[in-house]
Amino acid sequence: MKTDYLIAGCGIAGAILAGKLAGSGKKVVVLDQGPRFEEQERVKMIARARETLNDFADYNDEAVPGTVTPHTSARQEGEVAEWAAQRLFGVGGSALHFEGFMIRPREEDFKVRTLYGYGRDWPISYAEIEPWLLRAEHETGVSGNEDNPYASPRSGPFPMPAHAFSYFDREIFIPAMAKMNVAAHSCPRAINSVPYRGRSACLACRACKFCPSGARYSPDRVHVPIMDKNPNVTLLENVSLRRLETDPGSSRVVAAHAVGVREKDAMVISAEKFILALGGVETPRMLMLSAGNGDHRKGLGNLGGQLGRHFGDHTNPFLVYDVGRPVGSRLGFETVISDHFRARKDRAERPGFMLFASPAVDWIPTGHFAAGWATKGDVLSLDALRSTISRIASVYVMTELKGEGTLELDTSSTDAFGSPVAKVTMPLGKWDRQAQKELSALAPKIGDAMGATRMSEVAPPEFGLGYHPSGATAMAKSPDGGVCDANLKVFGLSNLYLVSNSVFPQMGPNPPTLTIAALALRLAAHLEGGAAS
C-alpha cells in the first residue's frame, strides 16, 4: 500500500490531522490498534454500567486480546511511585472517554527552566501557539467565559459561553474561595453549553464518558466523519503498527510494518511522510522498537540520548468533606475551578496546581467516606448514610511534576505480538510532593470557609499518576534537548513527525488535550507549506 501520508494513531491528534491533510487533496492512510465504537455500543456500555453499578465501565472492557498494549512500572522502595495508565485503544483514542477539560497552558509554562530553574523550556513560545489554541477551541467546540483573572492573553473569545454554575459552586465553593481571597472561575470544557455545529447542547444526563447526546466532543463523532466522507482517506482499524523501517543510511523512513490485531495478517505501507500520533507512551515506544542504523541504533531520533528521558505526568491528590448542608448535584462535571495556585511566582520552591471542587466525583470514593461517617461502632445507619451523602463534597488538585521519569523497553515482558512493552519509572522528589503537602495545609482552611463539619485525610501524592503521560519525545532546538524539532520533525530523519503529549518539553498543571489539538493543527499547516508560527 502506498500513500502520501501515513498517520499511526486515530486519537484527537491523528483525527484532526488526517482531516486537514486530506482536505488538501493528498492521500492519507490512518491506522489504529483499536476498533471503531458504534453508537449502539455506547448504549450497551451505559446499560452495563447501570446493571453492574460500575461507574468505571469503559470502552475497552471487552477488548480483543492484543488490542490494549500492556505496560510495566518499575517500583523501588521510597522514591518511585506506581504508574497506572488510563489509556484507551480505539478510533478516537483517550478522547473517547476524557472529561472534556480544554484548559490552556499559561505563558510561563513554556519557559520554566528560564524562570524557575527546573524542567525544560519549549522551543516555541505561548505567543506562537496561542492562535492554534484558539483554533483548537473552535475546532472541538469549547465552552467558557473570559472570567479567569489568572489567564494568559487570548486573541479571541470562546466559541460558546460557559455552563451555568451549579448550586454547590454558586452557593458554597465560590463564596468559600472568596473568603480565602482566591478567585474561582468558569471551567473551559469541550462540552456544548448551546447547540454547536450540529451537536446538541448538554442534556445533563451525567453519563459523560459515553455522552448519549453527543454534546461532549469526541473525535469519532466530529473528525472521523469528516475522514469518512473524504475519498482521499483510508482508515484501518484493529491494525497495530509494529515498526518503522528506515533506508540503509537511516536518513528517512521508507515503510511502516503493521499487523492485524484479529487475523494477524501482515501489511507494509510506504509513504512520503510518516506521523506518529500514538500518545505519551506508545509514541516513544515505537521509536525504540524501530531502532535503525548509525545515529538511530538506540531508537529513532535518539541522537542526543533524549528518547524516553524526562517522562512526566500529573498527580491528583484529593480529600472529601462533610459540608454540613446539602450540596446539590452537578451536570456530571465541574463548572468552576481556580487557577490561583497555577499563577504563583514561587514555582522554583513548589509546583503549581489547579484547584477543583465538586459534589460526587465518580473516581473519588466519596461513598467510602460517607459510609464511614454514617457508621457507629460496627453499625451502618442507612438514614445517616442518606443524609451524609447529600452533604459530601470533594476537593482535588491537578499538580505539575518536574518530569524526571524514564520510559524504556522492558525486555522481560512482551505484548501479544512478541515486542517488548514500555516500562515506566516515575520518581517523585521533594519538590513534586510539595503540592500534596500544601493541599494538606489548605484543607482545614477550605473546610472552615465552606462550613464543613468533617474532612478526610488528603490522598497520597501518587494518586492520579498515569492519566497524562508526557515528555519522552520532547520537541527541542537541538538533539541535545529532545527528539524532534519545533515543527515536530524527528531529528536526523527527513520525513518522520510526532504529535502527542509525548512532545511536551514540560507539562504545566493543566490537562494536555487542548494543546495536543493545537499542535495537530499547527503541524497540518506546516506539512502543507503554511506558516507553523
Side-chain angles (χ1 to χ4, degrees):
M1 182 182 292
K2 293 183 178 180
T3 186
D4 295 310
Y5 292 104
L6 172 68
I7 301 173
C10 194
I12 188 170
I16 289 176
L17 191 59
K20 297 301 180 186
L21 294 177
S24 67
K26 297 293 179 63
K27 297 291 185 182
V28 180
V29 172
V30 185
L31 58 86
D32 198 280
Q33 183 156 312
R36 185 189 295 232
F37 296 96
E38 303 297 341
E39 290 299 326
Q40 189 57 36
E41 293 179 77
R42 281 185 167 94
V43 174
K44 292 178 181 178
M45 284 182 261
I46 294 173
R48 185 166 67 246
R50 181 180 180 181
E51 291 167 1
T52 61
L53 300 180
N54 176 15
D55 287 336
F56 295 97
D58 214 336
Y59 291 82
N60 283 149
D61 286 348
E62 298 177 359
V64 173
T67 296
V68 181
T69 303
H71 68 277
T72 57
S73 177
R75 296 200 65 183
Q76 301 172 11
E77 186 176 353
E79 290 303 307
V80 178
E82 182 176 8
W83 192 82
Q86 300 296 314
R87 296 182 291 159
L88 199 161
F89 289 75
V91 175
S94 295
L96 283 167
H97 69 175
F98 85 135
E99 294 186 44
F101 286 121
M102 285 299 218
I103 299 170
R104 290 184 170 209
R106 286 181 52 79
E107 195 167 2
E108 59 267 28
D109 292 340
F110 291 81
K111 45 187 178 181
V112 293
R113 167 60 64 177
T114 296
L115 294 175
Y116 310 115
Y118 69 88
R120 300 174 292 188
D121 288 347
W122 288 56
I124 60 175
S125 66
Y126 175 83
E128 289 177 275
I129 200 173
E130 194 282 331
W132 301 104
L133 293 169
L134 182 64
R135 288 183 63 181
E137 289 168 345
H138 284 263
E139 190 78 24
T140 58
V142 176
S143 59
N145 293 337
E146 295 184 55
D147 60 346
N148 181 353
Y150 311 109
S152 293
R154 300 179 57 88
S155 59
F158 286 98
M160 288 174 276
H163 293 268
F165 295 165
S166 69
Y167 169 84
F168 169 78
D169 286 327
R170 187 177 65 251
E171 301 296 330
I172 299 175
F173 182 57
I174 293 176
M177 291 295 98
K179 291 178 183 177
M180 299 174 62
N181 294 317
V182 172
H185 46 83
S186 61
C187 178
R189 295 269 188 178
I191 301 174
N192 296 348
S193 60
V194 296
Y196 186 76
R197 295 187 178 180
R199 292 188 289 126
S200 164
C202 176
L203 300 180
C205 63
R206 301 183 67 184
C208 298
K209 187 183 294 184
F210 310 113
C211 191
S213 72
R216 178 180 62 75
Y217 168 82
S218 185
D220 67 322
R221 285 168 160 166
V222 177
H223 287 101
V224 172
I226 295 173
M227 295 162 50
D228 288 340
K229 293 176 183 177
N230 193 318
N232 293 322
V233 181
T234 301
L235 174 58
L236 304 175
E237 60 183 282
N238 290 306
V239 173
S240 177
L241 177 64
R242 304 317 306 159
R243 68 181 178 91
L244 297 173
E245 178 188 351
T246 55
D247 63 11
S250 289
S251 62
R252 66 190 305 272
V253 176
V254 293
H257 294 261
V259 63
V261 171
R262 291 190 170 94
E263 293 81 13
K264 303 295 191 293
D265 49 323
M267 63 182 71
V268 179
I269 305 170
S270 61
E272 290 299 315
K273 292 183 173 67
F274 297 79
I275 302 152
L276 296 184
L278 297 169
V281 173
E282 294 302 310
T283 298
R285 176 176 177 249
M286 185 51 57
L287 295 179
M288 294 175 183
L289 291 176
S290 304
N293 301 315
D295 292 336
H296 300 286
R297 64 187 181 280
K298 293 185 179 180
L300 302 185
N302 199 20
L303 279 65
Q306 296 298 307
L307 179 59
R309 295 187 59 191
H310 299 289
F311 185 88
D313 206 333
H314 289 138
T315 63
N316 298 95
F318 73 90
L319 70 155
V320 173
Y321 294 93
D322 181 341
V323 177
R325 52 178 165 149
V327 295
S329 60
R330 66 176 194 158
L331 290 171
F333 50 89
E334 295 86 352
T335 53
V336 167
I337 58 172
S338 178
D339 275 352
H340 178 87
F341 300 97
R342 285 183 70 196
R344 65 192 333 148
K345 303 300 183 185
D346 62 346
R347 284 169 70 176
E349 287 76 43
R350 61 185 73 190
F353 58 80
M354 295 175 58
L355 182 67
F356 303 78
S358 179
V361 179
D362 60 4
W363 55 268
I364 292 178
T366 53
H368 167 78
F369 295 103
W373 290 334
T375 300
K376 291 186 178 180
D378 294 327
V379 179
L380 172 63
S381 167
L382 292 181
D383 287 339
L385 179 59
R386 292 188 189 99
S387 177
T388 302
I389 286 178
S390 71
R391 304 190 304 263
I392 291 291
S394 55
V395 170
Y396 68 100
V397 299
M398 181 176 293
T399 173
E400 65 179 325
L401 299 177
K402 273 190 177 179
E404 296 180 342
T406 59
L407 186 149
E408 56 192 330
L409 296 180
D410 187 347
T411 56
S412 67
S413 182
T414 59
D415 63 16
F417 305 95
S419 302
V421 303
K423 179 171 70 175
V424 172
T425 304
M426 196 68 219
L428 298 184
K430 182 178 179 181
W431 184 89
D432 299 307
R433 297 174 184 273
Q434 286 297 313
Q436 188 260 1
K437 185 177 180 180
E438 185 172 1
L439 181 59
S440 297
L442 283 170
K445 299 176 183 177
I446 296 173
D448 289 343
M450 291 194 299
T453 59
R454 288 176 289 200
M455 71 178 193
S456 70
E457 294 184 357
V458 176
E462 293 86 359
F463 193 88
L465 275 172
Y467 294 175
H468 300 143
S470 69
T473 66
M475 64 164 79
K477 293 180 178 179
S478 71
D480 291 336
V483 174
C484 60
D485 65 19
N487 289 320
L488 305 183
K489 186 181 75 67
V490 173
F491 288 121
L493 292 165
S494 63
N495 65 339
L496 177 59
Y497 296 81
L498 314 175
V499 58
S500 79
N501 43 331
S502 70
V503 307
F504 292 13
Q506 193 70 27
M507 183 166 58
N510 62 292
T513 315
L514 181 67
T515 307
I516 295 170
L519 289 174
L521 291 167
R522 182 175 178 270
L523 176 59
H526 171 71
L527 291 172
E528 289 304 298
S533 298

PDB file of all heavy atoms in Angstrom, residues 303-330:
ATOM      1  N   LEU A 303      19.376  10.963  18.804  1.00  0.00           N
ATOM      2  CA  LEU A 303      20.725  11.427  18.503  1.00  0.00           C
ATOM      3  C   LEU A 303      21.426  12.004  19.720  1.00  0.00           C
ATOM      4  O   LEU A 303      22.647  11.929  19.838  1.00  0.00           O
ATOM      5  CB  LEU A 303      20.680  12.480  17.382  1.00  0.00           C
ATOM      6  CG  LEU A 303      20.578  11.978  15.944  1.00  0.00           C
ATOM      7  CD1 LEU A 303      19.266  11.256  15.696  1.00  0.00           C
ATOM      8  CD2 LEU A 303      20.738  13.140  14.953  1.00  0.00           C
ATOM      9  N   GLY A 304      20.663  12.605  20.619  1.00  0.00           N
ATOM     10  CA  GLY A 304      21.249  13.205  21.807  1.00  0.00           C
ATOM     11  C   GLY A 304      20.977  12.424  23.082  1.00  0.00           C
ATOM     12  O   GLY A 304      21.151  12.949  24.185  1.00  0.00           O
ATOM     13  N   GLY A 305      20.510  11.183  22.946  1.00  0.00           N
ATOM     14  CA  GLY A 305      20.243  10.359  24.124  1.00  0.00           C
ATOM     15  C   GLY A 305      19.028  10.805  24.914  1.00  0.00           C
ATOM     16  O   GLY A 305      18.923  10.503  26.112  1.00  0.00           O
ATOM     17  N   GLN A 306      18.078  11.492  24.269  1.00  0.00           N
ATOM     18  CA  GLN A 306      16.923  12.042  24.992  1.00  0.00           C
ATOM     19  C   GLN A 306      15.658  11.195  24.880  1.00  0.00           C
ATOM     20  O   GLN A 306      14.679  11.457  25.586  1.00  0.00           O
ATOM     21  CB  GLN A 306      16.622  13.450  24.460  1.00  0.00           C
ATOM     22  CG  GLN A 306      17.730  14.459  24.720  1.00  0.00           C
ATOM     23  CD  GLN A 306      17.973  14.656  26.204  1.00  0.00           C
ATOM     24  OE1 GLN A 306      17.046  14.930  26.964  1.00  0.00           O
ATOM     25  NE2 GLN A 306      19.218  14.496  26.628  1.00  0.00           N
ATOM     26  N   LEU A 307      15.643  10.189  24.020  1.00  0.00           N
ATOM     27  CA  LEU A 307      14.454   9.362  23.849  1.00  0.00           C
ATOM     28  C   LEU A 307      14.130   8.611  25.135  1.00  0.00           C
ATOM     29  O   LEU A 307      14.960   7.867  25.664  1.00  0.00           O
ATOM     30  CB  LEU A 307      14.662   8.382  22.690  1.00  0.00           C
ATOM     31  CG  LEU A 307      13.513   7.413  22.384  1.00  0.00           C
ATOM     32  CD1 LEU A 307      12.235   8.162  22.046  1.00  0.00           C
ATOM     33  CD2 LEU A 307      13.908   6.479  21.236  1.00  0.00           C
ATOM     34  N   GLY A 308      12.923   8.817  25.643  1.00  0.00           N
ATOM     35  CA  GLY A 308      12.493   8.154  26.872  1.00  0.00           C
ATOM     36  C   GLY A 308      12.862   8.880  28.147  1.00  0.00           C
ATOM     37  O   GLY A 308      12.422   8.484  29.228  1.00  0.00           O
ATOM     38  N   ARG A 309      13.608   9.959  28.033  1.00  0.00           N
ATOM     39  CA  ARG A 309      14.020  10.706  29.227  1.00  0.00           C
ATOM     40  C   ARG A 309      13.018  11.824  29.552  1.00  0.00           C
ATOM     41  O   ARG A 309      12.257  12.251  28.714  1.00  0.00           O
ATOM     42  CB  ARG A 309      15.415  11.307  29.030  1.00  0.00           C
ATOM     43  CG  ARG A 309      16.526  10.255  28.896  1.00  0.00           C
ATOM     44  CD  ARG A 309      17.884  10.909  28.868  1.00  0.00           C
ATOM     45  NE  ARG A 309      18.140  11.679  30.073  1.00  0.00           N
ATOM     46  CZ  ARG A 309      19.168  12.518  30.224  1.00  0.00           C
ATOM     47  NH1 ARG A 309      20.021  12.715  29.232  1.00  0.00           N
ATOM     48  NH2 ARG A 309      19.331  13.170  31.349  1.00  0.00           N
ATOM     49  N   HIS A 310      13.052  12.275  30.794  1.00  0.00           N
ATOM     50  CA  HIS A 310      12.199  13.378  31.271  1.00  0.00           C
ATOM     51  C   HIS A 310      10.714  13.076  31.067  1.00  0.00           C
ATOM     52  O   HIS A 310       9.931  13.956  30.710  1.00  0.00           O
ATOM     53  CB  HIS A 310      12.584  14.684  30.579  1.00  0.00           C
ATOM     54  CG  HIS A 310      13.997  15.102  30.842  1.00  0.00           C
ATOM     55  ND1 HIS A 310      14.413  15.558  32.071  1.00  0.00           N
ATOM     56  CD2 HIS A 310      15.091  15.101  30.037  1.00  0.00           C
ATOM     57  CE1 HIS A 310      15.713  15.843  32.007  1.00  0.00           C
ATOM     58  NE2 HIS A 310      16.145  15.568  30.791  1.00  0.00           N
ATOM     59  N   PHE A 311      10.365  11.830  31.286  1.00  0.00           N
ATOM     60  CA  PHE A 311       8.956  11.434  31.234  1.00  0.00           C
ATOM     61  C   PHE A 311       8.204  12.144  32.355  1.00  0.00           C
ATOM     62  O   PHE A 311       8.680  12.231  33.487  1.00  0.00           O
ATOM     63  CB  PHE A 311       8.873   9.916  31.413  1.00  0.00           C
ATOM     64  CG  PHE A 311       7.501   9.340  31.261  1.00  0.00           C
ATOM     65  CD1 PHE A 311       7.028   8.950  30.025  1.00  0.00           C
ATOM     66  CD2 PHE A 311       6.677   9.166  32.363  1.00  0.00           C
ATOM     67  CE1 PHE A 311       5.761   8.393  29.873  1.00  0.00           C
ATOM     68  CE2 PHE A 311       5.420   8.615  32.234  1.00  0.00           C
ATOM     69  CZ  PHE A 311       4.960   8.228  30.979  1.00  0.00           C
ATOM     70  N   GLY A 312       7.040  12.698  32.036  1.00  0.00           N
ATOM     71  CA  GLY A 312       6.288  13.471  33.021  1.00  0.00           C
ATOM     72  C   GLY A 312       4.845  13.017  33.125  1.00  0.00           C
ATOM     73  O   GLY A 312       4.379  12.144  32.388  1.00  0.00           O
ATOM     74  N   ASP A 313       4.118  13.637  34.040  1.00  0.00           N
ATOM     75  CA  ASP A 313       2.723  13.285  34.289  1.00  0.00           C
ATOM     76  C   ASP A 313       2.135  14.321  35.241  1.00  0.00           C
ATOM     77  O   ASP A 313       2.782  15.321  35.575  1.00  0.00           O
ATOM     78  CB  ASP A 313       2.637  11.885  34.898  1.00  0.00           C
ATOM     79  CG  ASP A 313       1.304  11.211  34.602  1.00  0.00           C
ATOM     80  OD1 ASP A 313       0.300  11.918  34.406  1.00  0.00           O
ATOM     81  OD2 ASP A 313       1.260   9.969  34.584  1.00  0.00           O
ATOM     82  N   HIS A 314       0.907  14.063  35.679  1.00  0.00           N
ATOM     83  CA  HIS A 314       0.252  14.836  36.737  1.00  0.00           C
ATOM     84  C   HIS A 314      -0.084  13.921  37.902  1.00  0.00           C
ATOM     85  O   HIS A 314      -0.170  12.707  37.745  1.00  0.00           O
ATOM     86  CB  HIS A 314      -1.069  15.441  36.231  1.00  0.00           C
ATOM     87  CG  HIS A 314      -0.899  16.553  35.256  1.00  0.00           C
ATOM     88  ND1 HIS A 314      -1.679  16.685  34.130  1.00  0.00           N
ATOM     89  CD2 HIS A 314      -0.034  17.603  35.230  1.00  0.00           C
ATOM     90  CE1 HIS A 314      -1.308  17.765  33.457  1.00  0.00           C
ATOM     91  NE2 HIS A 314      -0.317  18.339  34.098  1.00  0.00           N
ATOM     92  N   THR A 315      -0.296  14.506  39.071  1.00  0.00           N
ATOM     93  CA  THR A 315      -0.907  13.794  40.177  1.00  0.00           C
ATOM     94  C   THR A 315      -2.172  14.551  40.593  1.00  0.00           C
ATOM     95  O   THR A 315      -2.333  15.725  40.273  1.00  0.00           O
ATOM     96  CB  THR A 315       0.037  13.666  41.391  1.00  0.00           C
ATOM     97  OG1 THR A 315       0.348  14.968  41.897  1.00  0.00           O
ATOM     98  CG2 THR A 315       1.328  12.968  41.007  1.00  0.00           C
ATOM     99  N   ASN A 316      -3.067  13.850  41.304  1.00  0.00           N
ATOM    100  CA  ASN A 316      -4.368  14.432  41.675  1.00  0.00           C
ATOM    101  C   ASN A 316      -4.730  14.132  43.125  1.00  0.00           C
ATOM    102  O   ASN A 316      -5.745  13.471  43.393  1.00  0.00           O
ATOM    103  CB  ASN A 316      -5.470  13.895  40.755  1.00  0.00           C
ATOM    104  CG  ASN A 316      -5.250  14.252  39.301  1.00  0.00           C
ATOM    105  OD1 ASN A 316      -4.697  13.470  38.537  1.00  0.00           O
ATOM    106  ND2 ASN A 316      -5.675  15.423  38.899  1.00  0.00           N
ATOM    107  N   PRO A 317      -3.956  14.591  44.093  1.00  0.00           N
ATOM    108  CA  PRO A 317      -4.336  14.384  45.497  1.00  0.00           C
ATOM    109  C   PRO A 317      -5.716  15.002  45.782  1.00  0.00           C
ATOM    110  O   PRO A 317      -6.067  16.043  45.226  1.00  0.00           O
ATOM    111  CB  PRO A 317      -3.242  15.120  46.280  1.00  0.00           C
ATOM    112  CG  PRO A 317      -2.086  15.183  45.341  1.00  0.00           C
ATOM    113  CD  PRO A 317      -2.688  15.320  43.977  1.00  0.00           C
ATOM    114  N   PHE A 318      -6.498  14.356  46.646  1.00  0.00           N
ATOM    115  CA  PHE A 318      -7.851  14.839  46.918  1.00  0.00           C
ATOM    116  C   PHE A 318      -8.212  14.620  48.376  1.00  0.00           C
ATOM    117  O   PHE A 318      -7.537  13.887  49.113  1.00  0.00           O
ATOM    118  CB  PHE A 318      -8.862  14.103  46.027  1.00  0.00           C
ATOM    119  CG  PHE A 318      -9.110  12.671  46.441  1.00  0.00           C
ATOM    120  CD1 PHE A 318     -10.110  12.343  47.346  1.00  0.00           C
ATOM    121  CD2 PHE A 318      -8.313  11.655  45.930  1.00  0.00           C
ATOM    122  CE1 PHE A 318     -10.324  11.032  47.738  1.00  0.00           C
ATOM    123  CE2 PHE A 318      -8.526  10.335  46.321  1.00  0.00           C
ATOM    124  CZ  PHE A 318      -9.534  10.024  47.238  1.00  0.00           C
ATOM    125  N   LEU A 319      -9.295  15.249  48.803  1.00  0.00           N
ATOM    126  CA  LEU A 319      -9.891  14.974  50.100  1.00  0.00           C
ATOM    127  C   LEU A 319     -11.387  15.193  49.993  1.00  0.00           C
ATOM    128  O   LEU A 319     -11.886  15.798  49.032  1.00  0.00           O
ATOM    129  CB  LEU A 319      -9.297  15.837  51.204  1.00  0.00           C
ATOM    130  CG  LEU A 319      -9.628  17.334  51.211  1.00  0.00           C
ATOM    131  CD1 LEU A 319      -9.507  17.884  52.618  1.00  0.00           C
ATOM    132  CD2 LEU A 319      -8.664  18.091  50.290  1.00  0.00           C
ATOM    133  N   VAL A 320     -12.126  14.694  50.986  1.00  0.00           N
ATOM    134  CA  VAL A 320     -13.578  14.716  50.982  1.00  0.00           C
ATOM    135  C   VAL A 320     -14.072  15.413  52.248  1.00  0.00           C
ATOM    136  O   VAL A 320     -13.494  15.234  53.325  1.00  0.00           O
ATOM    137  CB  VAL A 320     -14.143  13.287  50.890  1.00  0.00           C
ATOM    138  CG1 VAL A 320     -15.654  13.270  51.044  1.00  0.00           C
ATOM    139  CG2 VAL A 320     -13.746  12.652  49.561  1.00  0.00           C
ATOM    140  N   TYR A 321     -15.133  16.222  52.100  1.00  0.00           N
ATOM    141  CA  TYR A 321     -15.703  16.974  53.227  1.00  0.00           C
ATOM    142  C   TYR A 321     -17.162  16.591  53.448  1.00  0.00           C
ATOM    143  O   TYR A 321     -17.893  16.290  52.497  1.00  0.00           O
ATOM    144  CB  TYR A 321     -15.679  18.483  52.941  1.00  0.00           C
ATOM    145  CG  TYR A 321     -14.329  19.119  52.842  1.00  0.00           C
ATOM    146  CD1 TYR A 321     -13.699  19.258  51.607  1.00  0.00           C
ATOM    147  CD2 TYR A 321     -13.689  19.610  53.977  1.00  0.00           C
ATOM    148  CE1 TYR A 321     -12.461  19.868  51.498  1.00  0.00           C
ATOM    149  CE2 TYR A 321     -12.445  20.225  53.882  1.00  0.00           C
ATOM    150  CZ  TYR A 321     -11.836  20.350  52.645  1.00  0.00           C
ATOM    151  OH  TYR A 321     -10.605  20.947  52.552  1.00  0.00           O
ATOM    152  N   ASP A 322     -17.576  16.662  54.693  1.00  0.00           N
ATOM    153  CA  ASP A 322     -18.987  16.749  55.044  1.00  0.00           C
ATOM    154  C   ASP A 322     -19.248  18.231  55.250  1.00  0.00           C
ATOM    155  O   ASP A 322     -18.815  18.829  56.243  1.00  0.00           O
ATOM    156  CB  ASP A 322     -19.287  15.958  56.318  1.00  0.00           C
ATOM    157  CG  ASP A 322     -20.757  15.999  56.721  1.00  0.00           C
ATOM    158  OD1 ASP A 322     -21.476  16.902  56.243  1.00  0.00           O
ATOM    159  OD2 ASP A 322     -21.176  15.163  57.531  1.00  0.00           O
ATOM    160  N   VAL A 323     -19.924  18.854  54.284  1.00  0.00           N
ATOM    161  CA  VAL A 323     -20.088  20.306  54.280  1.00  0.00           C
ATOM    162  C   VAL A 323     -21.091  20.776  55.329  1.00  0.00           C
ATOM    163  O   VAL A 323     -21.152  21.965  55.656  1.00  0.00           O
ATOM    164  CB  VAL A 323     -20.477  20.784  52.866  1.00  0.00           C
ATOM    165  CG1 VAL A 323     -20.731  22.275  52.812  1.00  0.00           C
ATOM    166  CG2 VAL A 323     -19.360  20.431  51.879  1.00  0.00           C
ATOM    167  N   GLY A 324     -21.892  19.861  55.861  1.00  0.00           N
ATOM    168  CA  GLY A 324     -22.823  20.237  56.918  1.00  0.00           C
ATOM    169  C   GLY A 324     -24.187  20.676  56.417  1.00  0.00           C
ATOM    170  O   GLY A 324     -25.073  20.988  57.214  1.00  0.00           O
ATOM    171  N   ARG A 325     -24.353  20.717  55.093  1.00  0.00           N
ATOM    172  CA  ARG A 325     -25.646  21.057  54.487  1.00  0.00           C
ATOM    173  C   ARG A 325     -25.680  20.442  53.095  1.00  0.00           C
ATOM    174  O   ARG A 325     -24.626  20.108  52.525  1.00  0.00           O
ATOM    175  CB  ARG A 325     -25.837  22.566  54.398  1.00  0.00           C
ATOM    176  CG  ARG A 325     -24.677  23.302  53.729  1.00  0.00           C
ATOM    177  CD  ARG A 325     -24.941  24.784  53.620  1.00  0.00           C
ATOM    178  NE  ARG A 325     -23.742  25.540  53.327  1.00  0.00           N
ATOM    179  CZ  ARG A 325     -23.722  26.660  52.631  1.00  0.00           C
ATOM    180  NH1 ARG A 325     -24.851  27.150  52.145  1.00  0.00           N
ATOM    181  NH2 ARG A 325     -22.595  27.308  52.423  1.00  0.00           N
ATOM    182  N   PRO A 326     -26.846  20.245  52.521  1.00  0.00           N
ATOM    183  CA  PRO A 326     -26.923  19.642  51.186  1.00  0.00           C
ATOM    184  C   PRO A 326     -26.123  20.442  50.156  1.00  0.00           C
ATOM    185  O   PRO A 326     -26.161  21.679  50.151  1.00  0.00           O
ATOM    186  CB  PRO A 326     -28.425  19.663  50.869  1.00  0.00           C
ATOM    187  CG  PRO A 326     -29.079  19.640  52.211  1.00  0.00           C
ATOM    188  CD  PRO A 326     -28.191  20.469  53.099  1.00  0.00           C
ATOM    189  N   VAL A 327     -25.404  19.711  49.312  1.00  0.00           N
ATOM    190  CA  VAL A 327     -24.541  20.367  48.321  1.00  0.00           C
ATOM    191  C   VAL A 327     -25.151  20.336  46.920  1.00  0.00           C
ATOM    192  O   VAL A 327     -24.595  20.922  45.988  1.00  0.00           O
ATOM    193  CB  VAL A 327     -23.149  19.702  48.279  1.00  0.00           C
ATOM    194  CG1 VAL A 327     -22.426  19.903  49.593  1.00  0.00           C
ATOM    195  CG2 VAL A 327     -23.254  18.221  47.929  1.00  0.00           C
ATOM    196  N   GLY A 328     -26.278  19.652  46.760  1.00  0.00           N
ATOM    197  CA  GLY A 328     -26.884  19.561  45.444  1.00  0.00           C
ATOM    198  C   GLY A 328     -26.159  18.567  44.560  1.00  0.00           C
ATOM    199  O   GLY A 328     -25.298  17.817  45.003  1.00  0.00           O
ATOM    200  N   SER A 329     -26.486  18.565  43.287  1.00  0.00           N
ATOM    201  CA  SER A 329     -25.867  17.660  42.323  1.00  0.00           C
ATOM    202  C   SER A 329     -25.058  18.483  41.328  1.00  0.00           C
ATOM    203  O   SER A 329     -24.880  19.683  41.495  1.00  0.00           O
ATOM    204  CB  SER A 329     -26.930  16.816  41.618  1.00  0.00           C
ATOM    205  OG  SER A 329     -27.829  17.658  40.925  1.00  0.00           O
ATOM    206  N   ARG A 330     -24.603  17.836  40.275  1.00  0.00           N
ATOM    207  CA  ARG A 330     -23.836  18.541  39.252  1.00  0.00           C
ATOM    208  C   ARG A 330     -24.240  18.011  37.890  1.00  0.00           C
ATOM    209  O   ARG A 330     -24.903  16.980  37.764  1.00  0.00           O
ATOM    210  CB  ARG A 330     -22.342  18.385  39.486  1.00  0.00           C
ATOM    211  CG  ARG A 330     -21.829  16.954  39.332  1.00  0.00           C
ATOM    212  CD  ARG A 330     -20.325  16.918  39.496  1.00  0.00           C
ATOM    213  NE  ARG A 330     -19.791  15.626  39.030  1.00  0.00           N
ATOM    214  CZ  ARG A 330     -18.539  15.434  38.651  1.00  0.00           C
ATOM    215  NH1 ARG A 330     -17.689  16.436  38.688  1.00  0.00           N
ATOM    216  NH2 ARG A 330     -18.125  14.259  38.239  1.00  0.00           N
TER     217      ARG A 330
END
